[in-house]
Amino acid sequence: MENLVKTIDGYEHHFGFRDAISRDGVTVSYFTSLEAISQWKNLDEHKMAQQLGRDSFYEEYSVQVCEVLRDYGFEA
């Protein structure tokens, strides 16, 4: 999926975290538009991976679609 998402026009980047013991985790993906998110959501290969996850790996998951209103930081 990592290489596939990069083919979506409007994909910017993503990152993830996973607990080494429980394997609980989160992946955050950034896209330039709702249309790009929709393309990713509706891609056949992505749908198949989601179904595999539901059938074999996950007891639950959630999806949030959010807009970044401000992004700033500090670097010494």
Side-chain angles (χ1 to χ4, degrees):
M1 293 294 97
E2 184 169 350
N3 290 329
L4 188 60
V5 71
K6 293 175 182 178
T7 69
I8 299 296
D9 186 33
Y11 165 82
E12 290 190 329
H13 66 279
H14 73 279
F15 63 90
F17 301 96
R18 188 145 322 274
D19 183 272
I21 297 171
S22 71
R23 301 298 297 149
D24 290 342
V26 62
T27 300
V28 179
S29 302
Y30 291 87
F31 297 87
T32 59
S33 67
L34 290 174
E35 292 78 14
I37 294 169
S38 182
Q39 287 178 33
W40 175 236
K41 179 182 187 290
N42 293 309
L43 200 62
D44 287 338
E45 295 94 329
H46 188 210
K47 286 182 178 182
M48 291 184 331
Q50 288 175 322
Q51 189 61 53
L52 179 64
R54 285 190 292 272
D55 293 344
S56 302
F57 299 105
Y58 302 122
E59 293 180 20
E60 64 179 304
Y61 69 85
S62 64
V63 175
Q64 297 176 333
V65 177
C66 306
E67 182 177 7
V68 177
L69 299 177
R70 188 175 297 130
D71 182 13
Y72 57 91
F74 170 79
E75 187 174 328

